[in-house]
């Protein structure tokens, strides 16, 4: 094996892109920033995809590890210290040059920088910060940056990263303490949830200082949905307060703003695209119900912008893991994403979709159809009069088509041909709709 | 039937609309058509209209004031889209718009409205595609991109890059229409037509490979997860047609 210093940039890129690809977060969304003279880059709220890899997943960011050296031994991870694999590390300048040169050629929308735990969490986080500092201030990069928060890193370093990045994420990976003990023996939930809480509170305070609401922006559709998990009433039930008030602080937590910073720094953007996390699907026995409830809990209590699911890909042989030939649970992952969508855009909550008695999604039906078939008493709904909220529950109707229906029916009666042109998928929807009292 | 015809440019189309309207012939007895007109119909009078800046401004400001900004946005995008009958579609849309005002774009049950909405969506979607898939190659200190969009959206695409790379020198070339958006460092971009010879020379930039081309291909090939391989899904997201000028698919 070559020693690290002999590796070419291309060999390093191979090793460090290979080690980063199992993190599924790929979006470049949530930040909106105009370009600036003398700088390179801007950010577009909806995010931009730049290519699609052979597995069909979108490539938006240059997703790499700073290093795959790691002192920890998470069983499922290719980079764990007990694996005998080629190791490498980028210098901060190499990361900056790759990012800016790729960006200028429009290969990518920005950087996703993760890392193994190199020497110590503090050492690693410091190298990450150094890299981002260089990228922003010397290379004048104004595009999107997503950076990992390393569990166990000092608060000041996490805060420093928060002023440089658009999004930060710290992966929960396993939703229960037992699973975590078994598969990630060097970590525990507290090491993940504590920084997540502090990031959440710090983000909220910066948002308030900038004259925004404490809570992250959500899809526009949520404004018209009374039962949405982000509605004021629902958030109040969780003890987190919505709207223009101070974020509720859990006892004993503080926020990250650096001590030495004056008042004005509160106005600086701090993780403007919010936090995200990911959970591994299928390495441990949790049910879909458990995963979806955890997702909802994270949205409501930590104001996470996204929760990602990563179907478990067997990389290591280990008694604690599923057998190496276990198929990748792609369909299960897909169903969870569909359900996540229903939470974020359609006003559903986890308990409407699953329960202790029905803890897993139907393989054959998507969660929305499945829900509709269990609630036939609510259908059909009349297109020309039904509330936005009710229309959104119809299989085949999405937030856009529902909005178009509500807007255009003010000026005249709608029929099925109109619906089709508005983007309603009639193949599914027609069982659940009437137009002027008539079925299709 | 009187047929008003004009060249394929936004100004010409707006002037043509102005002329058809001002002719007083009546909306049912006029048709608007883009040139070149290959097959003239019998019993029709053909009137060619030249682009006129003042008339264009009049039409634009009337749309914005008497209908809405959204209607103007849709008209503009429809004008650069690729339906053959798009000029007449815009005319019908505006005839309705000047009688109903701001609620025009909400009236999706009217075919005129849906038609222009669909055309504008087609152009907007394609412009979005090229925000994603345009690839620049470095040639003599200039980042050069070649695209072949179906709609005439090179200027719309260039707007996006002008905000993103304000201090870089770059150009985006529409190989089919032989036009280019040229962006000098720290200046606004401008549109220009290219001669056959210029285009041929610029085409060579695409074959140009620098260190980062290879690194990008390395990254692109590494980042896919073998156990999740799914070429069908990849193709759905990225039709083969769009891949023609994409670095990672040129190998
Ligand atoms: S900390 Fe765990 S998951 Fe992260 S790189 Fe190290 S072994 Fe892998």
């Amino acid at each position: 094996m070559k020693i690290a210093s002999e590796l070419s940039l291309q060999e390093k890129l191979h090793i460090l892109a290979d080690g980063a690809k199992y993190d599924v977060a790929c979006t470049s969304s949530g930040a909106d920033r105009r370009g600036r003279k003398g700088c390179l880059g801007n950010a577009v709220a909806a995010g931009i995809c730049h290519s699609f890899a052979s597995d069909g997943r979108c490539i938006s960011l240059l997703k790499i590890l700073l290093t795959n050296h790691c002192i920890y031994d998470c069983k499922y991870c290719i980079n764990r210290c007990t694996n005998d694999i080629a190791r490498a590390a980028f210098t901060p300048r190499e990361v900056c040059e790759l990012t800016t040169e790729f960006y200028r050629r429009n290969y990518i929308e920005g950087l996703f920088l993760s890392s193994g735990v190199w020497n110590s969490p503090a050492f690693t986080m410091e190298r990450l910060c150094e890299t981002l500092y260089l990228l922003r201030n010397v290379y004048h990069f104004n595009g999107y940056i997503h950076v990992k928060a390393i569990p166990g890193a000092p608060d000041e370093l996490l805060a420093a990263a928060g002023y440089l990045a658009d999004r930060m994420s710290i992966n929960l990976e396993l939703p229960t303490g037992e699973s975590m003990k078994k598969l990630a023996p060097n970590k525990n939930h507290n090491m993940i949830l504590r920084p997540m809480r502090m990031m959440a509170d710090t983000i909220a305070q910066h948002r308030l200082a900038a004259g925004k609401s404490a809570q992250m922006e959500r899809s526009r559709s949520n404004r018209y949905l009374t039962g949405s998990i982000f509605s004021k009433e629902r958030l109040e039930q969780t003890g987190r307060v919505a709207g223009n008030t101070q974020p509720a602080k859990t006892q004993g937590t503080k926020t990250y703003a650096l001590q030495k910073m004056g008042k004005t720094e509160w106005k600086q953007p701090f993780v403007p695209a919010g936090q995200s996390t990911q959970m591994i699907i299928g390495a441990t026995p949790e049910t879909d119900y458990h995963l979806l409830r955890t997702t909802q809990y994270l949205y409501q209590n930590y104001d996470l912008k996204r929760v990602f699911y990563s179907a478990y890909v067997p990389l290591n042989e280990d008694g604690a893991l599923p057998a190496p030939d276990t198929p990748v649970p792609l369909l299960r992952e897909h169903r969870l994403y569909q359900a996540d969508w229903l939470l974020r855009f359609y006003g559903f909550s986890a308990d409407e979709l699953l329960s202790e008695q029905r803890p897993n999604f139907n393989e054959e039906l998507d969660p929305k159809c499945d829900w509709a078939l269990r609630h036939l008493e609510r259908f059909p709904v009349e297109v020309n009069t039904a509330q936005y909220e009710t229309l959104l529950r119809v299989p085949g109707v999405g937030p856009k088509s529902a909005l178009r229906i509500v807007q255009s029916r003010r000026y005249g009666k709608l029929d099925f041909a109109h619906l089709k042109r508005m983007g309603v998928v009639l193949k599914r929807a027609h069982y659940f709709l009437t137009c002027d009292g008539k079925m299709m | 039937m009187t047929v008003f015809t004009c060249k394929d440019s936004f100004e010409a189309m707006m002037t043509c609309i102005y002329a058809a309207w001002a002719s007083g012939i009546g909306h049912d007895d006029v048709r608007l058509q883009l040139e070149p007109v290959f097959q003239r119909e019998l019993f029709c009078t053909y009137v060619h209209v030249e682009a006129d800046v003042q008339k264009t401004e009049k039409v634009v400001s009337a749309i914005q004031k008497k209908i809405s900004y959204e209607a103007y946005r849709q008209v503009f995008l429809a004008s650069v889209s690729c339906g053959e009958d798009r000029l007449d579609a815009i005319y019908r849309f505006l005839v309705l718009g000047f009688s109903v005002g701001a609620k025009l774009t909400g009236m999706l049950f009217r075919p005129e409205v849906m038609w222009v909405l669909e055309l504008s969506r087609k152009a907007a979607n394609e412009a979005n595609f090229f925000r994603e898939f345009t690839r620049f190659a470095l040639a003599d200190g200039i980042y050069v991109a070649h695209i072949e969009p179906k709609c005439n959206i090179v200027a719309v695409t260039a707007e996006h890059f002008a905000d993103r790379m304000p201090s870089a020198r770059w150009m985006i070339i529409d190989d089919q229409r032989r036009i280019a958006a040229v962006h000098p460092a720290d200046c606004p971009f401008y549109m220009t037509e290219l001669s056959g010879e210029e285009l041929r020379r610029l085409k060579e930039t695409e074959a140009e490979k620098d260190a980062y081309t290879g690194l990008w291909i390395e990254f692109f090939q590494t980042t896919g997860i073998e156990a999740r391989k799914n070429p069908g899904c990849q193709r759905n997201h990225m039709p083969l047609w769009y891949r023609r000028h994409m670095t990672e698919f040129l190998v």
Side-chain angles (χ1 to χ4, degrees), chain A residues 246-367:
Chain A
Q246 285 287 325
K249 275 200 222 159
T250 352
Q251 257 187 337
T253 67
K254 50 179 178 137
T255 49
Y256 276 139
L258 298 174
Q259 305 289 305
K260 55 178 186 286
M261 283 194 161
K263 274 230 168 64
T264 49
E265 272 78 2
W266 283 101
K267 299 242 154 108
Q268 267 192 61
F270 183 87
V271 199
Q275 297 192 79
S276 68
T277 194
Q278 86 167 18
M279 289 188 277
I280 300 175
I281 309 307
T284 47
E286 289 83 13
T287 61
D288 291 347
Y289 182 51
H290 193 130
L291 289 161
L292 200 63
R293 285 198 50 150
T294 307
T295 303
Q296 182 171 325
Y297 177 82
L298 292 168
Y299 283 139
Q300 293 185 320
N301 289 272
Y302 292 84
D303 204 20
L304 292 195
K305 193 73 184 178
R306 286 295 303 270
V307 174
F308 293 96
Y309 307 107
S310 170
Y312 173 69
V313 179
L315 300 168
N316 302 323
E317 272 190 58
D318 197 302
L321 291 170
D325 56 356
T326 309
V328 183
L330 290 174
L331 181 60
R332 190 174 170 208
E333 182 195 87
H334 180 59
R335 291 279 177 258
L336 280 161
Y337 274 120
Q338 289 178 317
D340 171 74
W341 211 256
L342 294 179
L343 299 188
R344 291 187 299 124
F345 296 93
Y346 288 76
F348 280 90
S349 64
D351 286 304
E352 283 183 283
L353 297 170
L354 295 170
S355 62
E356 297 284 5
Q357 290 72 44
R358 277 185 65 259
N360 290 306
F361 285 113
N362 191 330
E363 298 244 312
E364 267 102 61
L365 273 180
D366 70 78

Side-chain angles (χ1 to χ4, degrees), chain A residues 55-82:
Chain A
D55 52 18
R57 296 188 307 162
C58 106
I59 301 176
S60 177
L61 304 171
L62 171 63
K63 191 188 292 177
I64 47 174
L65 301 173
L66 188 60
T67 179
N68 63 344
H69 289 286
C70 191
I71 54 172
Y72 287 169
D73 194 32
C74 307
K75 302 290 180 220
Y76 46 81
C77 176
I78 185 87
N79 305 315
R80 64 182 189 172
C81 60
T82 47

